[in-house]
Amino acid sequence: MDPSEQAHNGEQEHNGAADPLPPPPPVPPNVTPIKAESEQAVKKVFRAPMARRGMGTKGNKVPILTNHFKVNVSNVDGHFFHYSVSLAYEDGHPVDGKGIGRKVLDRVQQTYDTELAGKEFAYDGEKSLFTVGALPRNKLEFTVVLDDVTSNRNNGNASPGGPGSPNDNDKKRTRRSYRSKTYKVEISFAAKIPMQAIANALRGQESENSQEALRVLDIILRQHAAKKGCLLVRQSFFDNNPRNFTDVGGGVLGCRGFHSSFRTSQGGLSLNIDVSTTMIIRPGPVVDFLIANQNVKDPFSIDWAKAKRVLKNLRITTIPTNQEYKITGLSDRPCKEQLFSLKQKNKDDAGEVQTSEVTVYDYFVNSRNIDLRYSADLPCINVGKPKRPTYFPIELCSLVSLQRYTKALSTFQRASLVEKSRQKPQERMTTLSGALKSNNYESEPLLRASGISISTNFTQVDGRVLPTPKLKAGNGDDIYARNGRWNFNNKKFVNPSKVERWAVANFSARCDVNGLVRDLIKVGEMKGISVEPPFDVFEENPQYRRAPPLVRVEKMFEDIQSKLPGAPKFLLCLLPERKNCDIYGPWKRKNLADFGVVTQCLAPTRVNDQYLTNLLLKINAKLGGLNSILAIEQTPSIPMVSKVPTIILGMDVSHGSPGQSDIPSIAAVVSSRQWPSISRYRACVRTQSPKVEMIDSLYKRVSDTEDEGIIRELLLDFYVSSGKRKPDQIIIFRDGVSESQFNQVLNIELNQIIEACKFLDEKWSPKFVVIVAQKNHHTKFFQPGSPDNVQPGTIIDNRVCHPRNYDFYLCAHAGMIGTTRPTHYHVLLDEVGFSPDDLQELVHNLSYVYQRSTTAISVVAPICYAHLAATQLGQWMKFEDASETSSSHNGVAPAGGGPPVPPMPKLKESVRNSMFFC
């Protein structure tokens, strides 16, 4: 039934003619009904992102160029027509193969040009198609025939050839994959989108129509790239050109391409073009990829169970036919033992076709006369169905180019990628100008029909460089940051802690431990930190060096406990390797969750005074000290924050990599404490269902008097640490949400936070500020005529910002390598009433209170701390024993069903309020 009919029938049913409802059941005497009222209360308020309050004025004005290119739209009276597309095989079965749609519709366009009235269309590759102006009829049906369909993008290096299947017992099937296939295509009218909607959006009147119209323009860009054989990843396009590939190790290549999307801004419509990188599998022989991927010497050392997981669903071409297939698995036996039934050419007396069992190896060597050098003892590649396998010797298989690699990169791969893909500002500008030329959008018929022309000049905007915040060190000394950096030469920390009752644990790191301790005491003294001599140095017992990480940590603790007179206050841990040491997670967990001991890890490779000063920055913060503070914190004179008790929250959720769908996501919220300080924070971290972006444990009412949520814990700490004051203002910085989720932050997360406040005290109504910080966008800024990055403190709130909403870009840090990525701040709500200058200054100041480094950072400190806390506790979860995460371990079952999520171990009271994440 058509949905509209359904709705219509529904109306008839309840249109007065329905029976009156029975009376509600009586309420039992011991129950107070409250549910309905609270639902209404929540329903009443729907918050949308606020409008801009004006522009900031502080700071030195500077001209800035940005990678937005102005777009003119002349055809404002025209309409886009949206049609839905359905594809089916001849027998009426729907087509499910991805990537086939584009080929089928290309053929429709070639074959039925007159029926389509010569109209060009933009197709999204799935179920939607758009034209400028209407097609001749509201419903069109076509039948097209395609040869040799392999559902892929640019068909790699495939060219049709002879039968490529060794499984000749199925000659018919072999031929069938070569025979042509017939498709039925139905195109039916869905909606009409006025282009005027784009003009309305530019005046700040966004609507569903304007979002749809922009989506059409983006789909035109995607189709333009698809026709050139590019890999498409959302709005980024990657060309099959080896010049754009860079090897990052492990059989993975970084592939450089371009992001290209239309944006509405105060300056009108613009095209945002940026350099983009994605990871792809190294094309070429499958064996070469596996050797690199597993870092082994030769094919005979490959772990085939691992190989099977990595290869599944990848596309290959085979020698000699160059036919393309998708890998479905590996054979259970080596090539020279794997049998299949081969049909003989001659028939027996009864006219039946005879079959004989033959090995894959013999078939290829004897029947096909193909020389196999090394495949005999290796598994075959299976490209068939589960019940009808089709095998190829591995050396005849080559991986097709431009296949995405979606697993998490190792630390070394990531470092290699960053090093090889970064570009200085000038270089990036040249690349982007080149990209705009080579894309040749002027020739795109649909953009022309939409009346769209794109400027080739970088848009110029007015930037302002905010004054650098003044910092204070110990003894009242001033610290003057220059170019976003400062140091503690001849200065002491503003609030030094004491390192006492401590010990060193050395996990077989090669290092002069006594020299290290001596230097640490000396540098500590220079910075005002009194470091007592350690109680002892515990060297790992060599017999455990090869043991699993959990065992090594356990044994080290047994040793420490047996020799120390009481619990230590601090442990310095020496790790054997710099990156990715697998002792780190279990060690941190043991210290913080089981014993409540502050700990600092280091991998001592090049230890000098500078290194030790940086180490002491972290140790001091963890032990409750502060290294430097803002001068306006000391006086205290932070606009709007110092006058009224104010808590600052930083919220972030970190997810497993795209390839891991079963790893719990980790939500971290940090909060400021000891108001009027804005430099001290503590963290609360919880697990939640995988890939869920909204934090679901902000408020968790478990009874009439108990709330086990994150917010209550943080508010109580603020109250105790700030002289029994409740915060009257709550400033929330939220990281990692896209524009489509802003309403959820305002209406789901903020409601939970308000509920937590009300649960503590019904009469208390603090004022809220909600700011989202985004780093993964594609807007970049450049200094005209200068090879350098924009100066630290550069802020932009005009031309390329939102036509209506309150947003701005800030580069608080000094971009040392590559091109600075500005942080895009969106102010969704401000009940406090900050002026644009005061709010921008607060955000700028919060980039200078990060205790781990002597530099301004690119995003406010509370968000950085939330990242650190989530990452560190994520390391704990990595080593959760399977038995511990079983459902008996009172895991929290996620709302949408699915397996329970293992809860995050709780930190011990003694470290719960510390900056353990520093």
Side-chain angles (χ1 to χ4, degrees):
M1 188 192 280
D2 183 72
S4 59
E5 282 178 57
Q6 231 167 353
H8 191 67
N9 285 2
E11 276 168 43
Q12 279 177 327
E13 265 174 37
H14 298 288
N15 216 342
D19 299 332
L21 292 169
V27 177
N30 58 343
V31 170
T32 326
I34 53 166
K35 188 78 195 267
E37 176 214 295
S38 70
E39 270 187 14
Q40 267 174 332
V42 172
K43 266 187 197 140
K44 267 197 312 231
V45 202
F46 175 80
R47 303 181 194 86
M50 66 181 286
R52 188 179 297 284
R53 284 233 172 105
M55 307 283 190
T57 54
K58 276 194 177 158
N60 293 333
K61 289 198 168 41
V62 288
I64 297 285
L65 294 176
T66 169
N67 59 341
H68 285 235
F69 298 86
K70 186 152 180 48
V71 174
N72 281 317
V73 187
S74 56
N75 183 6
V76 280
D77 302 328
H79 285 83
F80 289 123
F81 282 73
H82 176 190
Y83 295 87
S84 45
V85 177
S86 77
L87 300 179
Y89 295 113
E90 230 172 338
D91 60 5
H93 267 75
V95 173
D96 48 4
K98 255 201 157 162
I100 249 169
R102 285 193 195 277
K103 289 202 169 112
V104 174
L105 279 168
D106 282 350
R107 181 55 59 91
V108 166
Q109 189 148 30
Q110 292 156 16
T111 319
Y112 295 101
D113 193 42
T114 43
E115 285 82 343
L116 295 166
K119 272 216 180 300
E120 298 277 347
F121 52 69
Y123 174 52
D124 70 352
E126 293 186 15
K127 294 198 163 67
S128 292
L129 176 148
F130 301 89
T131 56
V132 178
L135 290 173
R137 295 209 307 282
N138 277 354
K139 190 162 189 181
L140 293 156
E141 291 183 359
F142 301 115
T143 305
V144 292
V145 176
L146 281 192
D147 307 325
D148 167 31
V149 172
T150 44
S151 87
N152 73 320
R153 203 173 31 257
N154 57 352
N155 215 0
N157 13 23
S159 64
S165 164
N167 221 341
D168 262 30
N169 65 342
D170 195 5
K171 273 270 174 60
K172 289 204 295 297
R173 187 159 63 104
T174 313
R175 277 202 301 279
R176 197 169 65 215
S177 67
Y178 278 91
R179 268 212 337 249
S180 45
K181 268 194 182 153
T182 303
Y183 295 88
K184 287 184 183 156
V185 183
E186 203 172 276
I187 297 175
S188 40
F189 173 74
K192 186 173 169 183
I193 307 157
M195 289 190 198
Q196 186 61 44
I198 296 175
N200 296 347
L202 295 172
R203 290 199 296 276
Q205 300 162 2
E206 282 201 332
S207 63
E208 216 165 291
N209 266 341
S210 65
Q211 285 165 354
E212 275 295 289
L214 286 171
R215 188 169 86 93
V216 177
L217 294 180
D218 282 343
I219 286 170
I220 295 174
L221 298 182
R222 280 176 64 85
Q223 176 171 287
H224 184 81
K227 288 202 161 140
K228 295 200 301 189
C230 292
L231 161 66
L232 312 182
V233 182
R234 292 181 294 281
Q235 283 303 128
S236 295
F237 316 125
F238 303 91
D239 211 354
N240 189 11
N241 180 346
R243 276 217 318 263
N244 301 333
F245 301 164
T246 163
D247 198 326
V248 297
V252 180
L253 307 181
C255 174
R256 178 180 289 172
F258 297 98
H259 167 91
S260 179
S261 66
F262 287 98
R263 320 265 319 158
T264 48
S265 63
Q266 296 136 310
L269 190 62
S270 63
L271 179 68
N272 176 205
I273 295 192
D274 193 21
V275 176
S276 179
T277 304
T278 193
M279 310 317 299
I280 61 170
I281 300 269
R282 187 160 92 189
V286 171
V287 163
D288 293 357
F289 163 70
L290 290 174
I291 287 172
N293 183 249
Q294 299 190 10
N295 195 15
V296 291
K297 295 191 302 294
D298 54 49
F300 307 103
S301 322
I302 290 171
D303 170 342
W304 292 102
K306 228 189 222 169
K308 187 172 178 175
R309 286 197 300 275
V310 172
L311 292 177
K312 193 160 171 56
N313 292 331
L314 291 179
R315 297 192 322 279
I316 53 165
T317 54
T318 57
I319 296 170
T321 61
N322 225 2
Q323 165 72 342
E324 189 177 309
Y325 300 96
K326 189 188 257 180
I327 297 178
T328 51
L330 297 173
S331 62
D332 298 331
R333 314 189 63 75
C335 187
K336 66 172 190 224
E337 294 170 23
Q338 182 66 53
L339 295 166
F340 70 95
S341 308
L342 176 63
K343 290 191 179 174
Q344 302 298 335
K345 292 203 174 68
N346 48 354
K347 299 182 177 178
D348 64 9
D349 303 339
E352 290 291 311
V353 176
Q354 286 182 306
T355 61
S356 61
E357 292 289 299
V358 59
T359 66
V360 176
Y361 182 82
D362 287 342
Y363 168 76
F364 273 91
V365 172
N366 302 329
S367 307
R368 299 282 295 273
N369 299 323
I370 294 172
D371 187 27
L372 294 179
R373 297 195 322 274
Y374 57 80
S375 295
D377 297 309
L378 304 178
C380 305
I381 299 277
N382 180 8
V383 297
K385 299 268 187 329
K387 295 209 169 115
R388 305 175 82 172
T390 303
Y391 296 119
F392 283 98
I394 198 160
E395 71 189 76
L396 301 184
C397 303
S398 272
L399 289 159
V400 171
S401 189
L402 291 187
Q403 299 192 73
R404 279 185 80 196
Y405 177 80
T406 51
K407 296 188 175 46
L409 293 182
S410 69
T411 318
F412 301 108
Q413 286 173 320
R414 180 164 286 123
S416 166
L417 177 68
V418 168
E419 188 190 332
K420 291 173 177 173
S421 61
R422 62 181 177 222
Q423 287 180 303
K424 286 269 176 234
Q426 290 297 84
E427 193 187 339
R428 187 170 282 240
M429 283 180 85
T430 312
T431 308
L432 294 179
S433 294
L436 191 56
K437 279 197 192 72
S438 71
N439 279 334
N440 190 12
Y441 287 136
E442 317 296 46
S443 70
E444 172 53 60
L446 281 161
L447 289 181
R448 280 218 304 273
S450 317
I452 280 184
S453 57
I454 300 165
S455 156
T456 53
N457 298 326
F458 286 75
T459 299
Q460 183 162 327
V461 299
D462 302 324
R464 291 172 290 118
V465 180
L466 298 179
T468 306
K470 213 156 93 180
L471 298 166
K472 286 281 184 189
N475 303 336
D477 287 352
D478 287 325
I479 298 179
Y480 294 101
R482 294 190 47 190
N483 197 22
R485 310 174 79 76
W486 62 94
N487 60 49
F488 279 100
N489 295 349
N490 310 319
K491 290 188 175 63
K492 292 188 164 28
F493 294 159
V494 69
N495 182 350
S497 55
K498 277 185 91 163
V499 181
E500 54 190 1
R501 293 200 7 228
W502 69 288
V504 180
N506 181 13
F507 283 97
S508 309
R510 288 203 197 87
C511 146
D512 166 14
V513 183
N514 294 329
L516 176 75
V517 168
R518 195 177 52 242
D519 291 346
L520 191 67
I521 292 171
K522 179 192 78 183
V523 175
E525 197 180 331
M526 286 155 54
K527 301 295 161 236
I529 287 192
S530 131
V531 182
E532 290 183 356
F535 178 85
D536 202 350
V537 173
F538 295 92
E539 296 283 353
E540 182 177 35
N541 183 333
Q543 76 184 65
Y544 297 122
R545 206 171 283 180
R546 299 259 177 283
L550 290 165
V551 173
R552 294 174 72 179
V553 168
E554 203 60 55
K555 294 293 178 195
M556 179 65 83
F557 257 93
E558 283 170 14
D559 197 16
I560 293 173
Q561 277 176 297
S562 67
K563 293 185 183 148
L564 284 187
K569 278 193 170 174
F570 173 68
L571 286 173
L572 187 68
C573 169
L574 310 186
L575 297 175
E577 58 257 9
R578 263 189 66 219
K579 295 278 184 201
N580 266 13
C581 182
D582 53 9
I583 295 170
Y584 179 86
W587 171 260
K588 286 283 183 188
R589 177 173 176 166
K590 197 85 184 147
N591 278 272
L592 297 170
D594 297 356
F595 290 98
V597 175
V598 174
T599 172
Q600 175 63 51
C601 296
L602 74 152
T605 40
R606 294 189 297 275
V607 177
N608 53 24
D609 283 8
Q610 178 63 60
Y611 181 95
L612 292 171
T613 303
N614 289 346
L615 195 71
L616 282 163
L617 291 174
K618 288 153 68 74
I619 294 172
N620 189 37
K622 285 175 178 172
L623 289 171
L626 279 176
N627 306 321
S628 60
I629 58 170
L630 296 161
I632 53 170
E633 248 181 305
Q634 209 170 33
T635 37
S637 54
I638 305 165
M640 315 296 279
V641 173
S642 300
K643 291 192 184 71
V644 180
T646 303
I647 186 171
I648 297 173
L649 304 180
M651 303 183 4
D652 179 46
V653 177
S654 72
H655 309 287
S657 66
Q660 304 166 312
S661 53
D662 51 349
I663 288 185
S665 290
I666 295 175
V669 183
V670 305
S671 60
S672 60
R673 52 202 310 268
Q674 295 185 21
W675 176 82
S677 167
I678 60 168
S679 291
R680 293 179 187 276
Y681 292 85
R682 53 104 70 202
C684 183
V685 186
R686 305 278 172 94
T687 50
Q688 59 184 37
S689 301
K691 305 283 184 276
V692 171
E693 184 50 62
M694 291 299 121
I695 300 178
D696 65 10
S697 48
L698 295 168
Y699 171 61
K700 277 181 84 169
R701 180 176 167 171
V702 287
S703 74
D704 286 352
T705 53
E706 281 177 288
D707 161 20
E708 290 182 353
I710 293 175
I711 295 299
R712 180 188 179 93
E713 184 182 314
L714 300 178
L715 289 172
L716 290 174
D717 170 72
F718 180 89
Y719 183 75
V720 171
S721 68
S722 306
K724 303 242 161 124
R725 291 186 187 87
K726 283 188 200 124
D728 291 326
Q729 299 174 162
I730 298 181
I731 300 176
I732 300 164
F733 286 96
R734 178 68 162 95
D735 186 39
V737 290
S738 61
E739 278 177 56
S740 60
Q741 295 167 315
F742 288 177
N743 284 340
Q744 287 173 283
V745 171
L746 281 174
N747 295 290
I748 299 174
E749 288 187 340
L750 182 57
N751 275 350
Q752 279 197 41
I753 294 171
I754 292 169
E755 295 250 352
C757 294
K758 293 284 179 213
F759 196 78
L760 271 169
D761 177 352
E762 191 56 50
K763 298 189 199 61
W764 170 44
S765 296
K767 291 178 172 164
F768 287 92
V769 176
V770 179
I771 301 173
V772 168
Q774 289 177 334
K775 288 288 294 272
N776 55 353
H777 54 81
H778 284 280
T779 298
K780 300 283 192 298
F781 296 114
F782 307 91
Q783 290 196 62
S786 160
D788 298 328
N789 269 310
V790 295
Q791 300 169 62
T794 299
I795 196 158
I796 283 117
D797 59 4
N798 62 82
R799 284 299 296 270
V800 290
C801 291
H802 195 279
R804 172 198 170 271
N805 297 355
Y806 189 177
D807 64 334
F808 58 88
Y809 291 92
L810 173 64
C811 300
H813 64 303
M816 304 308 287
I817 51 176
T819 305
T820 302
R821 174 179 293 202
T823 299
H824 192 183
Y825 290 100
H826 301 259
V827 185
L828 304 187
L829 177 71
D830 173 14
E831 298 177 338
V832 171
F834 279 93
S835 71
D837 276 327
D838 285 347
L839 192 62
Q840 290 172 4
E841 193 177 346
L842 174 67
V843 171
H844 191 219
N845 283 332
L846 284 170
S847 307
Y848 277 78
V849 299
Y850 188 60
Q851 297 299 311
R852 285 168 42 119
S853 72
T854 52
T855 60
I857 52 173
S858 64
V859 65
V860 290
I863 280 182
C864 274
Y865 288 148
H867 268 303
L868 289 169
T871 308
Q872 185 176 127
L873 272 73
Q875 296 283 335
W876 296 12
M877 300 305 284
K878 253 192 198 164
F879 291 90
E880 276 273 55
D881 183 294
S883 63
E884 284 188 44
T885 57
S886 69
S887 48
S888 62
H889 195 69
N890 60 22
V892 187
V901 176
M904 184 62 77
K906 279 203 159 43
L907 276 77
K908 276 275 187 272
E909 202 71 46
S910 52
V911 289
R912 204 168 286 167
N913 297 332
S914 73
M915 290 177 66
F916 67 87
F917 41 79
C918 255

